[in-house]
Amino acid sequence: MQMQLHQLRYFVAVAEVRHFTQAADLVGITQPSLSKQIHALETDLGAPLFERVRGNIALTAAGEVLLPLAKRILADVDTATREVQELVGLRRGRVRLGATPSLATSLAPPVLRRFRDAHPTVDLRVEEGGSQDLVRDLLRGDLDLALIIMPSAGTDPGLRADPILRESLVVASVDPLPAASDRGEVRITDLRDQPLVMFRQGYDLRDATLQACRAAGFEPTLSVDGGELDAVLSFVEAGLGAALVPGIAVARRPGIRVTRLAPPGVRRTIAVARRRDVVPTHAGRELRRILLEYVHDATAADQLPAGVEPL
């Protein structure tokens, strides 16, 4: 017996539409060719699969037995084909990750190193930007995944955002802050008369700073308004003012003094986000898995950056 997969597909098509010509159109061959293949299948099986009853096509007893088995075989073949194609795609595919500047320089590098070691031929593309910009790019389909800061009002309903970490903001400055306590902490209200360097529009750090100051009852005094993370830190190093920044962002800036905020402080939730209505690629799912694996391993080894805790 030499039953062929295409014969099973033709058989299932006829069984579903109960019409040889319509089934031939469905599978993209001529009706005589389909009839010939069905006849060859019946010959191999040693039993007729269809009979004509009052001008209609009906399954014989042998056809009734074969139909669920044929559907199962074809479903298994389709599943195997998709899995293999996904694996091939993972070897040759692409994944586009977005990250805020502080996360692009702290969390993303070890995660991408793990991914690269496991999948050296996948095309990795990284986009750095503020959370609002990254959300826009996700919704437009320009990114597969993004490490974002969850806004207090919640994320866009078009996204699925899974919280993974929480980080604390600190005050970055060159000189000691006059109001710093003996414990090396300041309150948000202590920044009322402190000139601040402010991030540009689109940065969640800008919103976090403004919200914290306004919640404490004042509008901050801005010495410089608008800048990316590196620029803001450089302005701070130049003595232009202080700034609220993630602790991980100043870990390698020896010229900057870090002062903690007294409880409750200002904390942010880091999430990994993707579009809700798009099925992730295999490469995208694998990058997300490696990201969560890294967070778990770094937590267990107490290697998360200062001021960052797992959720």
Side-chain angles (χ1 to χ4, degrees), residues 21-180:
T21 301
Q22 292 178 8
D25 291 339
L26 189 65
V27 297
I29 63 173
T30 64
Q31 187 271 329
S33 296
L34 181 138
S35 297
K36 181 179 179 180
Q37 291 297 325
I38 294 295
H39 178 69
L41 178 60
E42 291 175 324
T43 300
D44 285 340
L45 292 173
L49 299 172
F50 299 102
E51 59 182 359
R52 293 185 180 273
V53 179
R54 298 175 183 175
N56 297 319
I57 302 296
L59 287 168
T60 64
E64 294 284 359
V65 170
L66 178 61
L67 182 59
L69 297 174
K71 287 183 175 180
R72 187 183 313 160
I73 291 170
L74 293 174
D76 288 343
V77 170
D78 289 343
T79 299
T81 300
R82 285 196 303 271
E83 289 296 322
V84 170
Q85 287 175 341
E86 283 196 338
L87 288 175
V88 171
L90 188 56
R91 290 196 296 270
R92 303 175 183 173
R94 178 191 68 181
V95 61
R96 301 164 299 175
L97 174 69
T100 63
S102 61
L103 297 175
T105 58
S106 59
L107 181 59
V111 171
L112 294 181
R113 176 57 186 268
R114 284 194 181 194
F115 186 87
R116 171 61 68 219
D117 288 345
H119 309 291
T121 59
V122 172
D123 182 15
L124 276 174
R125 301 186 184 181
V126 178
E127 181 71 27
E128 186 177 335
S131 287
Q132 296 175 30
D133 301 324
L134 298 177
V135 166
R136 179 202 62 210
D137 291 343
L138 278 172
L139 293 172
R140 290 195 312 198
D142 295 335
L143 295 173
D144 300 306
L145 290 172
L147 291 167
I148 65 171
I149 304 302
M150 294 188 68
S152 57
T155 55
D156 189 286
L159 297 181
R160 173 181 170 178
D162 300 314
I164 55 174
L165 296 167
R166 182 177 290 118
E167 68 175 352
S168 298
L169 299 187
V170 298
V171 182
S173 64
V174 172
D175 301 318
L177 298 177

Side-chain angles (χ1 to χ4, degrees), residues 134-282:
L134 298 177
V135 166
R136 179 202 62 210
D137 291 343
L138 278 172
L139 293 172
R140 290 195 312 198
D142 295 335
L143 295 173
D144 300 306
L145 290 172
L147 291 167
I148 65 171
I149 304 302
M150 294 188 68
S152 57
T155 55
D156 189 286
L159 297 181
R160 173 181 170 178
D162 300 314
I164 55 174
L165 296 167
R166 182 177 290 118
E167 68 175 352
S168 298
L169 299 187
V170 298
V171 182
S173 64
V174 172
D175 301 318
L177 298 177
S181 67
D182 294 338
R183 293 182 301 170
E185 296 177 341
V186 293
R187 297 167 298 175
I188 289 294
T189 53
D190 295 328
L191 302 180
R192 182 185 302 270
D193 299 319
Q194 172 68 49
L196 297 181
V197 177
M198 185 56 67
F199 292 88
R200 67 166 173 81
Q201 295 283 350
Y203 261 61
D204 63 281
L205 285 167
R206 179 188 184 91
D207 294 339
T209 301
L210 293 176
Q211 289 172 9
C213 293
R214 289 167 181 168
F218 69 95
E219 285 290 326
T221 300
L222 305 184
S223 60
V224 180
D225 187 1
E228 305 280 346
L229 180 62
D230 282 343
V232 166
L233 294 177
S234 295
F235 296 154
V236 171
E237 286 177 321
L240 292 172
L244 278 181
V245 299
I248 56 178
V250 292
R252 299 178 183 177
R253 311 287 290 235
I256 292 180
R257 179 184 298 270
V258 173
T259 305
R260 297 190 306 272
L261 287 170
V266 180
R267 299 197 297 176
R268 312 187 306 168
T269 298
I270 299 168
V272 54
R274 65 172 177 83
R275 270 181 61 173
R276 190 179 296 276
D277 62 342
V278 174
V279 177
T281 64
H282 191 59

